[in-house]
């Protein structure tokens, strides 16, 4: 903190709680490495204080902020402009302050696309993809896939209405064909909808697990899934990053699929935010090491 001066550009993260965030470590390591006079600060913002906090981005002339749980949706209505991905997904995770104009972006989706290229060698235009879940992360991923040329997105969610809503959004606003897949429980061989799952998994090369099942506090929980329908042509990404290998990933790997966790998406959403704020190429490897250090500590602590 000795390096903070009167000229330091300040950015940060709004969340509640925010103490768990890895972003300060990632961004401050990047600023230090590049010798940039910037600092990244966590701000614990209660939901009722969010409008005041967003106004403070202008009042305090912050360069920008990340926005995390539980504010990503509400904040989309509090900024001056929205990027196409933020407008479509209805969620903002990064605000850029350009001379008092606040633009909301959603770098989660683009971060996911970057990590697909980097880790799995998959680049757009993408083939058909199956998404498990229809919450905020699923929306970001589905919109990013659709905006990056995915021909087809299939959404399976516990609450069917939310899957249908997400499909409507994709069908109305993009050239991608979206359809919902019935997911009332284990799509076992005897189930009426088993053939639909077999057909879906026969078409897709990518499966994205976006529910919180299997994360540290729900370790061992496995989304109901017909693992026997997977093969070595499937890439599976589980957005959970702690633990590094979820029970779901283990089952998918045993069935032959190539599996990746959500750490890459977490890194790349930060890389894109960094570049939006600073206009400078992010030192990706420095950020990756900083993130990995945080993840190692968290995984050792078992929290
Ligand atoms: P969210 O908006 O609350 O959505 C949760 C989704 O999971 C919903 O579709 C929900 O289904 C489903 N779900 C939850 N429990 C379930 C269960 N027991 N059985 C079946 N479905 C269940 O949460 P989110 O913001 O999308 O986050 C989801 C996960 O993604 C979290 O683990 C989060 O850490 C992770 N994530 C990772 C990154 C990254 O950078 N790697 C970024 C964002 C999020 P219903 O609609 O039926 O409730």
């Amino acid at each position: 903190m000795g390096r903070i001066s009167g000229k330091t550009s300040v950015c940060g993260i709004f969340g509640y709680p925010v103490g768990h965030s890895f972003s300060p470590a990632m961004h401050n390591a990047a600023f230090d490495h590049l010798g940039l006079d910037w600092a990244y600060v966590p701000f614990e913002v209660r939901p009722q204080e969010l409008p005041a906090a967003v106004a403070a981005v202008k009042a305090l002339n912050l360069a920008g902020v990340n926005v995390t749980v539980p504010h990503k949706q509400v904040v989309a209505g509090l900024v001056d402009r929205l990027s196409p991905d933020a407008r479509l997904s209805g969620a903002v995770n990064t605000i850029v302050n350009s001379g008092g104009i606040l633009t909301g972006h959603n770098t989660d989706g683009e971060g996911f696309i970057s990590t697909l290229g980097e880790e799995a060698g998959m680049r757009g235009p993408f083939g058909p993809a199956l998404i498990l879940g229809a919450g905020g992360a699923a929306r970001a991923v589905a919109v990013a896939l659709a905006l990056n040329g995915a021909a087809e997105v299939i959404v399976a969610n516990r609450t069917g209405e939310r899957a249908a809503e997400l499909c409507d959004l994709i069908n109305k606003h993009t050239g991608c064909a979206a359809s919902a897949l019935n997911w009332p429980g284990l799509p076992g061989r005897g189930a009426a909808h088993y053939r639909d799952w077999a057909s879906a998994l026969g078409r897709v090369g990518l499966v994205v697990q976006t529910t919180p099942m299997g994360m540290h506090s729900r370790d061992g929980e496995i989304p109901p899934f017909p693992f026997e329908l997977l093969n070595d042509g499937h890439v599976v990404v589980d957005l959970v990053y702690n633990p590094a290998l979820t029970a779901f990933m283990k089952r998918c790997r045993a069935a032959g699929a190539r599996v990746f966790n959500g750490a890459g998406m977490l890194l790349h959403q930060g890389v894109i935010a960094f570049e939006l704020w600073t206009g400078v190429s992010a030192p990706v490897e420095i950020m990756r090491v900083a993130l990995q250090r945080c993840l190692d500590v968290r995984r050792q602590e078992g929290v």
Side-chain angles (χ1 to χ4, degrees):
M1 281 298 150
R3 65 182 179 77
I4 301 275
S5 76
K7 292 183 186 156
T8 304
S9 297
V10 179
C11 55
I13 181 164
F14 292 171
Y16 187 74
V18 78
H20 65 283
S21 175
F22 302 129
S23 294
M26 263 200 297
H27 287 281
N28 286 320
F31 296 146
D32 285 346
H33 177 76
L34 294 178
L36 293 182
D37 189 7
W38 282 63
Y40 186 105
V41 186
F43 296 102
E44 189 171 272
V45 175
R46 290 170 190 274
Q48 62 271 28
E49 302 295 346
L50 186 63
V54 172
V57 174
K58 289 186 190 184
L60 300 175
N61 194 27
L62 302 185
V65 286
N66 282 137
V67 182
T68 188
V69 178
H71 303 315
K72 287 184 187 181
Q73 275 87 27
V74 177
V75 84
L78 298 173
V79 293
D80 301 311
R81 292 179 188 161
L82 290 171
S83 67
D85 46 5
R87 183 174 305 111
L88 256 187
S89 62
V92 163
N93 80 329
T94 302
I95 297 175
V96 178
N97 180 7
S98 315
I101 305 288
L102 303 187
T103 304
H105 297 260
N106 192 325
T107 71
D108 280 335
E110 281 306 314
F112 174 77
I113 298 295
S114 295
T115 197
L116 270 189
E118 184 185 86
E119 294 189 306
M122 293 177 93
R123 292 186 174 79
F126 297 100
L130 170 62
I131 298 177
L132 305 179
R139 286 172 86 91
V141 165
V143 163
L145 285 169
L147 292 180
N148 283 276
E152 183 185 3
V153 164
I154 304 164
V155 182
N157 193 48
R158 176 178 61 180
T159 308
E161 294 78 27
R162 281 182 98 187
E165 263 172 43
L166 177 51
C167 292
D168 279 353
L169 178 98
I170 300 287
N171 286 325
K172 251 184 221 153
H173 299 285
T174 74
C176 172
S179 58
L181 189 58
N182 196 4
W183 197 23
L186 189 65
R189 285 181 201 278
H193 56 291
Y194 187 76
R195 253 187 297 147
D196 298 335
W197 277 80
S199 161
L201 283 164
R203 295 202 300 282
V204 307
L206 173 66
V207 177
V208 192
Q209 197 304 102
T210 77
T211 83
M213 280 185 280
M215 66 188 282
H216 56 90
S217 55
R218 302 171 66 165
D219 202 7
E221 264 187 61
I222 307 179
F225 190 81
F227 295 99
E228 70 281 4
L229 294 174
L230 288 176
N231 58 50
D232 59 8
H234 289 106
V235 166
V236 175
V237 183
D238 192 331
L239 298 196
V240 171
Y241 45 79
N242 182 18
L245 188 64
T246 62
F248 179 74
M249 289 167 67
K250 282 183 200 161
R251 294 284 301 273
C252 292
R253 195 167 65 179
R258 284 195 294 149
V259 300
F260 303 94
N261 66 27
M265 173 172 169
L266 188 61
L267 168 69
H268 284 285
Q269 62 75 31
V271 164
I272 298 166
F274 182 98
E275 294 181 349
L276 283 170
W277 292 325
T278 64
V280 171
S281 285
V284 180
E285 292 316 310
I286 297 294
M287 295 175 79
R288 192 192 311 276
V289 169
L291 173 62
Q292 191 57 52
R293 239 182 244 137
C294 295
L295 282 169
D296 288 345
V297 169
R298 197 66 63 79
R299 287 169 184 156
Q300 268 164 22
E301 289 170 347
V303 289

